Amino acid sequence: MSTPVVRKVPTSPYKDQHPGTSGLRKKTRVFMDKGYTENFIQSVFNTLKEDPGLDLSKQSLAIGGDGRYLNSEVMQTILSMAVANGFGEILVPRRGLISTPAMSAVIRQRKALGGFILTASHNPGGKEGDFGIKYNVSNGGPAPETFTQRIYELSLSIDHYLTSGDIEFQIDNETEYHIGSTKVSVIDPFTDYQTVLEEIFDFNKIADLFKSGFRMIFDGMHGVTGIYAQHFLEHLLGAPQGTVIRGNPLPDFGGIHPDPNLVYNSFLLDKMMANDALDFGAANDADGDRNMIFGHNLFIPPGDSVAVITDMARRCIPGFKDGLAGVARSMPTSTALDRVAKNLKIESFETPTGWKYFGNLMDAGLCNICGEESFGTGADHVREKDGLWAVLSWLSIISETGKSARDIILDHWGKYGRSYYERHDYEEMDSDKANEMLSNMRKRLPKLKGMSLSGIEITHADEFNYVDPVTKDVSERQGLRFFLSDGSRIITRLSGTGTKGATLRIYLEQFDAENIDRDTATMLKGLSSSVANLLKIPKYFGSNKPSLIT
Ligand code: VG1
Ligand code: CO
């Protein structure tokens, strides 16, 4: 056991360490500025230390990341600071690599106080890309807003941080050792996650599907999920080698933008739209919490995917054989899930954007399955969205029903009707102008009722404010909403995960009970151009062409 020399290093505050929708995200180079990372980490520790009943020497802290540029360096920084701040145990996945849902499982299974996940999620990586740090609390989910707000407040007045100097922590192999009174446990990144997944799914049944000749493609996009997909799909479930493509984690994700959507992953789109495409395809983002699902020649939108999984859960997923208590979706996510919940006679909750809002509902046993339009789907086995869980859910449904993913979604639309859905993003906009635009629109909301948009009447317009049904915490200004007389909805809000300027998101949804085979872009064309005019987008941004449509 070596004895660490604890050093108190003077530092000055940075003014921008406000965690957004999911952790602190900045350009990688910002995290390389002197003391930037240390300030943020110490502010998290200082927030924890404000609880007088908490003795860190009796607590475990988990640390890992998605393997992007700076992962190894920041691992060492946090390890050293965690020792100096007196944690009893530090849990580190082998080589510091872990997916976001697997980290959530580690925290829950090992009853850790919390964990750091080094990721900017689906944002690009590399020295010129983005880096990020998320802190998750003891339920395994992202820290709630009250906690992140306190981190920010403390970061504004920080004057020193604690570190134990130049220890080189060995994290390459599973082992246990002590540095002073802190135990460092290097753990397998799969075990805890596998335990929780095995409680939900019938692995033998999914293995039989592969034995029967079923073939799929899984795209790891060079993030961390590739190693999980290889472990679960190829090693445990018997999918042939080569099922997982782009499976090796790379510090810059091989130069790709590791966001599984139709634009940034046109590679998989092309494969699944080809004549010889397989029956099922999926991709995950860099840290494994987002997923994109395809049937043969058919993209399955995330809002529909969560609706199908919910509808089929009781019949096809053993972990849900007793039924569901409820479901939840973020407010801008399509209402497809609500129609299933109504049919199943279960509760359906509508929350602000960001997975942290689902945690309280799950902890209180109010909901089991959740979804976001941004390619996030998951359940109460962990407190994060879980890309691989979504894939295993679809495989369970395919194996139980004996139908292809394509037929499953077509049957679903036939039964429930279809929400045509798109999100239009205006990226890297001038922040002041974006805020001015929204604030002007906010003022006009009360006058919009009765006005026509693309020939359809606006029946109601408001701003979404949320009161957490469990904690009663209030989250205000979570998006402007326009409801139309034909059941269409338009929502707009600013992103909380960007690292440059402002990103305006416009979410468009049009429901059709009968016509389920129309082209989405054509269906939404009218809504799209009329909302751009309503918001006066050309006036504020000089163009009414979104930079990204998903
Ligand atoms: C976006 C998505 C949101 C998601 C969040 C984190 O947030 O819209 O649904 O929960 O990213 O996902 P925003 O504020 O930029 O719209 V991830 O995969 O980055 O952890
Ligand atoms: Co992610």
Side-chain angles (χ1 to χ4, degrees):
M1 178 196 299
S2 49
T3 310
V5 182
V6 174
R7 285 196 292 132
K8 201 170 155 178
V9 182
T11 187
S12 334
Y14 286 91
K15 301 288 176 202
D16 65 347
Q17 301 201 319
H18 199 301
T21 310
S22 186
L24 182 70
R25 283 181 205 182
K26 302 281 172 197
K27 289 283 159 212
T28 305
R29 284 185 181 278
V30 173
F31 280 93
M32 294 160 77
D33 285 344
K34 189 163 183 280
Y36 193 89
T37 300
E38 290 85 348
N39 277 15
F40 183 70
I41 301 300
Q42 189 64 50
S43 300
V44 174
F45 291 153
N46 291 349
T47 304
L48 292 170
K49 286 177 183 178
E50 286 191 322
D51 176 354
L54 189 68
D55 179 357
L56 293 188
S57 72
K58 297 198 168 60
Q59 300 293 339
S60 304
L61 175 78
I63 313 169
D66 65 8
R68 71 181 62 219
Y69 187 88
L70 225 59
N71 198 90
S72 310
E73 291 83 345
V74 175
M75 285 295 301
Q76 295 288 334
T77 303
I78 307 182
L79 273 155
S80 177
M81 291 182 67
V83 168
N85 279 275
F87 273 90
E89 184 185 20
I90 309 172
L91 300 159
V92 192
R94 206 166 45 226
R95 292 165 50 218
L97 292 179
I98 195 159
S99 76
T100 288
M103 173 61 102
S104 187
V106 166
I107 295 171
R108 292 169 68 78
Q109 292 292 101
R110 297 182 191 242
K111 304 203 173 8
L113 177 66
F116 286 103
I117 314 175
L118 313 182
T119 176
S121 195
H122 55 287
N123 294 20
K127 201 169 184 178
E128 306 308 327
D130 293 347
F131 191 77
I133 304 181
K134 296 208 266 186
Y135 181 73
N136 282 23
V137 293
S138 60
N139 75 348
E145 229 171 40
T146 42
F147 192 100
T148 53
Q149 180 60 25
R150 192 62 192 145
I151 301 172
Y152 173 58
E153 285 161 12
L154 293 180
S155 77
L156 294 176
S157 58
I158 190 165
D159 60 9
H160 74 273
Y161 61 83
L162 301 178
T163 178
S164 38
D166 304 322
I167 302 167
E168 185 66 28
F169 291 84
Q170 192 285 104
I171 59 170
D172 284 346
N173 304 301
E174 276 160 73
T175 176
E176 280 181 3
Y177 53 96
H178 279 82
I179 303 284
S181 48
T182 304
K183 178 172 155 191
V184 179
S185 304
V186 184
I187 60 173
D188 177 78
F190 305 125
T191 316
D192 297 314
Y193 185 46
Q194 188 172 329
T195 303
V196 296
L197 290 178
E198 277 173 347
E199 281 168 16
I200 308 173
F201 298 107
D202 184 342
F203 275 36
N204 291 330
K205 201 151 187 192
I206 303 177
D208 286 345
L209 182 69
F210 285 113
K211 260 187 221 137
S212 72
F214 175 83
R215 294 293 172 258
M216 67 169 284
I217 186 169
F218 181 99
D219 183 1
M221 299 186 84
H222 291 308
V224 77
T225 331
I227 60 173
Y228 286 85
Q230 275 156 357
H231 175 77
F232 284 94
L233 300 177
E234 295 183 2
H235 301 160
L236 290 177
L237 297 167
Q241 256 198 359
T243 296
V244 179
I245 57 166
R246 304 200 285 187
N248 55 324
L250 296 173
D252 66 348
F253 310 121
I256 59 175
H257 189 147
D259 192 353
N261 62 42
L262 297 175
V263 176
Y264 294 128
N265 201 340
S266 54
F267 178 71
L268 184 63
L269 170 70
D270 291 346
K271 280 191 180 303
M272 294 309 296
M273 291 301 164
N275 287 336
D276 61 351
L278 295 176
D279 269 359
F280 186 61
N284 275 190
D285 73 337
D287 65 324
D289 57 355
R290 293 186 175 208
N291 73 92
M292 174 162 68
I293 302 285
F294 284 95
H296 177 84
N297 289 181
L298 189 67
F299 163 60
I300 301 180
D304 293 314
S305 172
V306 69
V308 167
I309 295 172
T310 299
D311 199 28
M312 296 295 205
R314 191 169 195 163
R315 176 179 159 201
C316 303
I317 304 175
F320 297 124
K321 66 177 186 323
D322 297 329
L324 303 169
V327 288
R329 63 167 172 82
S330 64
M331 184 273 287
T333 301
S334 106
T335 52
L337 184 61
D338 304 17
R339 291 190 287 276
V340 174
K342 195 168 171 214
N343 182 42
L344 297 179
K345 299 192 176 56
I346 57 173
E347 279 281 349
S348 131
F349 297 88
E350 188 178 44
T351 62
T353 296
W355 207 261
K356 60 190 169 210
Y357 296 99
F358 296 138
N360 295 331
L361 302 174
M362 290 180 174
D363 286 347
L366 294 172
C367 87
N368 314 91
I369 294 180
C370 305
E372 289 195 284
E373 53 69 39
S374 54
F375 297 79
T377 331
D380 53 359
H381 60 296
V382 290
R383 292 293 179 275
E384 285 279 5
K385 49 193 187 275
D386 186 345
L388 207 57
W389 174 90
V391 172
L392 294 175
S393 294
W394 271 94
L395 291 176
S396 303
I397 296 168
I398 292 167
S399 95
E400 182 64 37
T401 58
K403 289 185 181 165
S404 68
R406 184 185 174 91
D407 286 344
I408 292 165
I409 188 71
L410 292 177
D411 286 356
H412 182 87
W413 286 334
K415 178 173 168 193
Y416 288 103
R418 179 171 178 185
S419 276
Y420 290 90
Y421 189 92
E422 258 177 14
R423 185 177 95 189
H424 294 194
D425 289 344
Y426 293 79
E427 298 166 301
E428 298 187 17
M429 297 311 208
D430 181 283
S431 292
D432 292 339
K433 280 194 183 156
N435 280 310
E436 187 191 326
M437 188 198 90
L438 285 184
S439 111
N440 285 339
M441 193 69 239
R442 184 172 290 126
K443 287 186 207 132
R444 290 166 61 202
L445 287 176
K447 296 179 215 132
L448 294 182
K449 190 173 172 222
M451 201 185 113
S452 147
L453 204 60
S454 173
I456 309 160
E457 191 191 328
I458 298 180
T459 50
H460 180 75
D462 68 7
E463 181 156 39
F464 183 54
N465 295 316
Y466 179 68
V467 182
D468 187 300
V470 183
T471 62
K472 307 294 174 210
D473 285 348
V474 177
S475 304
E476 288 178 321
R477 300 198 160 176
Q478 298 295 323
L480 307 182
R481 311 191 283 189
F482 312 93
F483 299 91
L484 309 188
S485 60
D486 68 344
S488 304
R489 274 192 335 160
I490 301 169
I491 289 130
T492 184
R493 59 179 280 279
L494 290 180
S495 153
T497 55
T499 56
K500 205 169 169 204
T503 293
L504 179 81
R505 304 204 195 283
I506 298 177
Y507 310 83
L508 308 166
E509 174 177 1
Q510 187 168 335
F511 176 67
D512 197 316
E514 308 291 328
N515 303 300
I516 61 163
D517 57 356
R518 300 291 156 91
D519 173 60
T520 302
T522 313
M523 290 296 275
L524 297 174
K525 205 165 169 222
L527 281 186
S528 148
S529 61
S530 48
V531 73
N533 289 336
L534 178 71
L535 291 169
K536 303 200 167 81
I537 289 196
K539 174 181 157 197
Y540 289 99
F541 300 148
S543 147
N544 62 355
K545 284 230 174 335
S547 48
L548 181 71
I549 298 182
T550 53

